[in-house]
Each structure stands twice: as structure tokens, then as C-alpha cells.
Amino acid sequence: MRVAIVGYEGRMGHALRQVAESRGHQWLGVDPRAAGGVVSIEDLEGPIDVVIDFSSADGTEKAARWCKEHGVPLVTGTTSLHEGAIRAVETASSEVPVVKAANFSPGINLLLALVRTAARALGGYDIEVMEVHHSRKKDSPSGTALELARAAAGARGWNDGVIHTGQPTGERPQQRIGVQALRGGDVKGEHTVFLIGETERIELTHRAYDRRVFAEGAVQAAEWVHGRSAGLYSMADVLGMNGA
Ligand code: NAD
């Protein structure tokens, strides 16, 4: 396939280039910091089979608009999207297939299913989520931490059950899940979901130790989405884990 990588000069961009090449795909890069690619998606030339976007909210918004206009599938992993980007992705998905995930690793997608099961099975236990990432990460808490907390809250039928606990919060209110973020070094991404009872505690942990895990998932999603009908798909769809 001929794949356009939006954000190709970034940390994920580098991993995506390597994985795309290793799986026999040709890639073109889009990044305002472009050294060997183009600075804007409008400058892309020739046919593109899939766009993979790991950039910024503005990058995602532009990529989604471009994909809709040109009838090209989109795989997007950018987190912390603003309203404009969320709307552009949703609008694009009415005309082209889009895979959107806060985390493309198979392990996290299994963890989401385990967390839903645990949250239902241990209904009386408090739930908290903690994540650790490298110090240059722009958003906090991570999109994955929020998704894990929302999965647990959803499994218990709690609306607005997730709170960010960067500030002192006092007593934890009922039916609320706190999310904590730590930053340091080059940690690729670690997430723990705590289920805390009066007399025991369970910790469900995922650790990514190479960005390749996300890049491999995203390229797998690009191969899967190529030729599908329009719609908004998740990584669980790609992995065949929906309903887990
Ligand atoms: P990074 O800062 O290293 O790289 C981002 C790149 O995007 C930079 O080179 C930047 O110049 C470029 N960029 C910014 N605006 C752009 C635009 N308008 N058009 C094109 N390129 C643009 O960041 P990173 O660590 O590679 O992460 C990128 C995004 O991916 C973040 O939102 C991060 O949270 C997310 N991420 C998602 C997953 C996942 O599995 N879904 C995994 C890791 C990171």
C-alpha cells in the first residue's frame, strides 16, 4: 500500500515508518517539521491508499477533512482532540472508513475487556487508574487512562464517573473513578487499574516497552481498513475482540 504518515517526524512517526517499511508498504510523510516529506497534507501527490495520523489535534482535523474529500481511509491515534477534530473525524466516517483508538496495542484492548469484567464482578470495590509516561508527553492524563476509567464507569452504569486527580480532591465521592498521571524519562506507556476492597486489592497492569507495539497495531489497522465500507471502527474491531 501507499501510506501517508501524518506526524512522521515525531516519536510515533519514526516507529510507523520502520513498521510500514518492514511490512512492504511505501510511505510518504506529512509534518510541519518535514525534512524529506511535505509540510501539509494538501501537498500530497499521487494516489494514497490509507492515511495514518499520529500528530496533533489540528493535524487530525486536517487529515480527516482531506480523507473525506479524497475518499481515503483514515487510521488515527492522536489523543487529546479538540471539538473541531472530533467533529471532523465523525463527519469523515460517514463517507470513508476510519479506525480511531487511544491505544493500538493488543494488550490494552484486552485490558479494556478485563476491566469491564472486573468492574462488574467486584461491584463494591473502589476503582482508580494510574498511568506513567515520558516527560515530553503533551496531554495528561493519557487518552488510554481515560478510556480505561470510562470502560470501568460504563460497566457499572455510572455517568460522568471519571475524575482527574491532579489537584487535591478531599474525600473520593461515591461512584467516581480517580485518574492519576506520572511523568518521567522515556517511559513508553504504563497503565494500572486498581480495584480496592476493604480487605484486598487487585491491580491490572499493562506496560508498553517499545513504541513499535502501537505502530504495529496502527499499520495492522491500516491494512484492515483498506477497502472497508464507511464507518467509525475501533481497534477492538480490527482485532476481532468486539463483544469481549
Ligand atoms: P511527537 O510530539 O513526538 O510527534 C508529533 C508530530 O506531529 C511532530 O513531529 C509534529 O511536528 C507533528 N505535527 C504537529 N502538528 C501537525 C500537523 N498539523 N500536521 C502534521 N504533523 C503535525 O508526539 P508522539 O509521541 O509521536 O505522539 C503523537 C500523538 O500520538 C499524541 O497525541 C500521542 O498521545 C499519540 N499516541 C497515541 C498512541 C496510540 O496507540 N493511539 C500511542 C502513542 C502516542
Side-chain angles (χ1 to χ4, degrees):
M1 291 194 305
R2 203 157 179 265
V3 179
I5 301 174
V6 179
Y8 85 107
E9 291 283 14
R11 280 174 288 267
M12 277 304 300
H14 279 89
L16 285 161
R17 287 148 67 166
Q18 283 174 3
V19 171
E21 273 172 25
S22 74
R23 292 168 81 126
H25 302 302
Q26 200 191 337
W27 64 266
L28 292 89
V30 180
D31 200 306
R33 299 191 296 169
V38 297
V39 294
S40 171
I41 195 160
E42 282 97 24
D43 301 332
L44 282 175
E45 285 178 5
I48 302 292
D49 293 308
V50 182
V51 170
I52 304 181
D53 157 64
F54 282 71
S55 58
S56 65
D58 289 345
T60 304
E61 183 172 6
K62 266 192 169 182
R65 288 204 178 134
W66 186 91
C67 285
K68 176 174 171 274
E69 228 169 84
H70 293 80
V72 174
L74 171 67
V75 172
T76 177
T78 307
T79 57
S80 203
L81 298 181
H82 50 46
E83 271 303 311
I86 293 169
R87 231 174 305 118
V89 168
E90 282 170 4
T91 308
S93 72
S94 63
E95 293 193 23
V96 294
V98 176
V99 180
K100 178 174 180 289
N103 198 303
F104 278 90
S105 92
I108 281 287
N109 283 278
L110 174 63
L111 183 61
L112 280 163
L114 295 174
V115 164
R116 284 188 201 100
T117 302
R120 273 191 289 263
L122 301 172
Y125 288 34
D126 295 321
I127 301 179
E128 296 275 314
V129 178
M130 195 183 75
E131 56 103 332
V132 193
H133 276 90
H134 59 88
S135 51
R136 273 99 49 219
K137 184 164 175 63
K138 295 191 177 64
D139 53 328
S140 172
S142 70
T144 303
L146 293 173
E147 198 171 337
L148 286 164
R150 286 182 191 129
R156 288 193 174 170
W158 298 349
N159 294 324
D160 302 324
V162 178
I163 54 173
H164 307 184
T165 44
Q167 315 291 330
T169 54
E171 280 186 25
R172 178 75 77 247
Q174 295 282 307
Q175 303 197 349
R176 290 289 182 278
I177 296 172
V179 182
Q180 315 272 345
L182 278 69
R183 293 288 174 263
D186 190 36
V187 178
K188 310 296 188 280
E190 299 186 3
H191 294 86
T192 297
V193 178
F194 297 82
L195 291 110
I196 310 172
E198 291 298 325
T199 51
E200 64 172 355
R201 174 167 96 209
I202 292 176
E203 298 177 10
L204 298 168
T205 296
H206 176 269
R207 294 194 178 94
Y209 31 79
D210 196 313
R211 287 189 180 89
R212 219 176 53 228
V213 71
F214 310 124
E216 280 169 353
V219 174
Q220 184 185 345
E223 290 162 352
W224 180 90
V225 82
H226 183 55
R228 299 237 159 215
S229 46
L232 190 56
Y233 300 99
S234 68
M235 196 53 192
D237 293 318
V238 176
L239 295 168
M241 286 170 56
N242 241 342

